Amino acid sequence: MNVANFFFLIIPILIASFSSSHASIFTVTNNCPHPIWPGTLSGAGTPPLPTTGFRLESGQSIRIPSTPGWSGRIWARTGCNFDESGIGKCQTGDCGGRLECDGNGAAPPASLFEITVGIGDDKDFYDVSIVDGYNLPLVVVPRGVYGPCNATGCSYDLNLGCPKELQVVGGENGGVQGGVIACKSACEAFGLDQYCCSGQFSNPNTCHPSIYSSIFKHACPKAYSYAYDDGTSTFTCKAYDYTIVFCPDPNGSKGTTNETISTPPGMEDPADGEFIHLVSSSTILQVLPFSLVIINVFFIFINLFF
């Protein structure tokens, strides 16, 4: 193979590889006045993210890379206490009593960010769900590859208005002593088919919003409030970054999730904030811009053949 043929063969391969490997970064930000312990859970058939659980101090952010086609959930735990080996327990959102969730999901009630990342040019599908209950305010702002996308989430503190029969009362470390630290779903609280959309209520024709899910929906109109709440709660985008903010400031300027915004309400752009870096298997990988990849390949090519 001559030099010219090699060059024109390798470039298309690199371009195809870059296109197929494009995936979103999840920028997780803790705007709460206390530590949180985010957890991640991958869907069936998709690999785990570089971390499945970690501590995030107030004011800190972290970037987590995904892979094309990744599907799963991200949430935050509160009131956690772990020993040096990572064994312990959280007051809300616990995932099997470990710092790293390792395939365990969030124990309800917990506010969830759910997403399926598109492959290639396919769009991402994402939502914020309080179907399994609620523990923290959560807003997600995608930064679109081809333009702006819809922010979604629930910036209102549902714990403040949680009906007494749904309340979870907790203690210290992320919850006010004796205060409400989470709000159960009606399904978890009562276990009835009509609330759980199960049995004879397991289809959209028979399962309708309950008085409890309607309270959630009124406060958080863009979040999933019950199992068949698809129409106003699922969004699509092709994004290079999803900024996931726990405890956004609901009083920030233009601080509603009904608007398409580029920066979460009541917080600085993550580029100006404090970022922490994971170590070992959780190290954040930074993807080089495509132009730099081509330039590097070009110089390698020159060094090899000239």
Side-chain angles (χ1 to χ4, degrees):
M1 179 183 296
N2 61 39
V3 172
N5 287 341
F6 173 81
F7 184 78
F8 286 108
L9 175 64
I10 196 66
I11 292 301
I13 293 175
L14 287 170
I15 293 174
S17 175
F18 177 83
S19 299
S20 64
S21 64
H22 172 77
S24 300
I25 298 290
F26 302 129
T27 302
V28 183
T29 295
N30 179 14
N31 205 42
C32 304
H34 52 75
I36 60 173
W37 288 259
T40 71
L41 174 67
S42 299
T46 60
L49 294 177
T51 177
T52 62
F54 55 96
R55 179 181 174 122
L56 196 61
E57 298 293 342
S58 177
Q60 287 186 328
S61 297
I62 192 169
R63 291 190 177 103
I64 306 173
S66 67
T67 55
W70 189 82
S71 178
R73 295 175 164 185
I74 298 175
W75 70 97
R77 295 164 287 174
T78 62
C80 300
N81 189 7
F82 297 105
D83 62 22
E84 293 182 357
S85 64
I87 304 299
K89 190 175 181 181
C90 299
Q91 290 181 346
T92 72
D94 192 66
C95 58
R98 302 185 61 89
L99 175 61
E100 291 266 357
C101 294
D102 293 328
N104 294 307
S111 315
L112 305 172
F113 170 56
E114 304 175 315
I115 187 170
T116 296
V117 178
I119 298 176
D121 292 330
D122 293 342
K123 289 186 175 182
D124 312 329
F125 288 81
Y126 62 98
D127 66 78
V128 167
S129 174
I130 47 180
V131 173
D132 291 338
Y134 167 100
N135 67 337
L136 285 174
L138 166 60
V139 167
V140 178
V141 182
R143 300 173 187 270
V145 174
Y146 307 116
C149 301
N150 286 317
T152 187
C154 183
S155 60
Y156 181 78
D157 188 352
L158 291 176
N159 292 333
L160 297 177
C162 182
K164 187 173 181 60
E165 57 270 31
L166 305 183
Q167 292 178 2
V168 177
V169 178
E172 300 174 349
N173 299 323
V176 177
Q177 181 70 38
V180 178
I181 59 172
C183 191
K184 296 178 183 179
S185 68
C187 175
E188 183 189 3
F190 307 119
L192 300 177
D193 287 350
Q194 67 190 78
Y195 294 134
C196 299
C197 290
S198 57
Q200 63 176 321
F201 298 96
S202 61
N203 66 78
N205 295 322
T206 57
C207 189
H208 303 292
S210 69
I211 185 174
Y212 296 105
S213 67
S214 296
I215 293 173
F216 291 171
K217 193 66 176 178
H218 178 73
C220 305
K222 283 197 171 184
Y224 252 99
S225 59
Y226 79 107
Y228 296 107
D229 193 13
D230 304 67
T232 59
S233 307
T234 301
F235 301 91
T236 60
C237 178
K238 191 63 182 176
Y240 61 88
D241 177 274
Y242 286 89
T243 298
I244 304 163
V245 187
F246 291 97
C247 303
D249 182 1
N251 298 316
S253 60
K254 298 184 179 180
T256 70
T257 56
N258 292 322
E259 303 174 46
T260 299
I261 53 180
S262 59
T263 303
M267 64 167 291
E268 297 179 348
D269 189 300
D272 301 323
E274 178 187 359
F275 281 87
I276 63 173
H277 299 280
L278 300 178
V279 296
S280 186
S281 62
S282 300
T283 299
I284 300 301
L285 302 177
Q286 299 295 336
V287 180
L288 286 174
F290 181 57
S291 58
L292 292 182
V293 174
I294 294 298
I295 291 171
N296 287 337
V297 170
F298 176 76
F299 280 108
I300 293 172
F301 167 78
I302 294 295
N303 291 332
L304 284 175
F305 294 99
F306 295 96

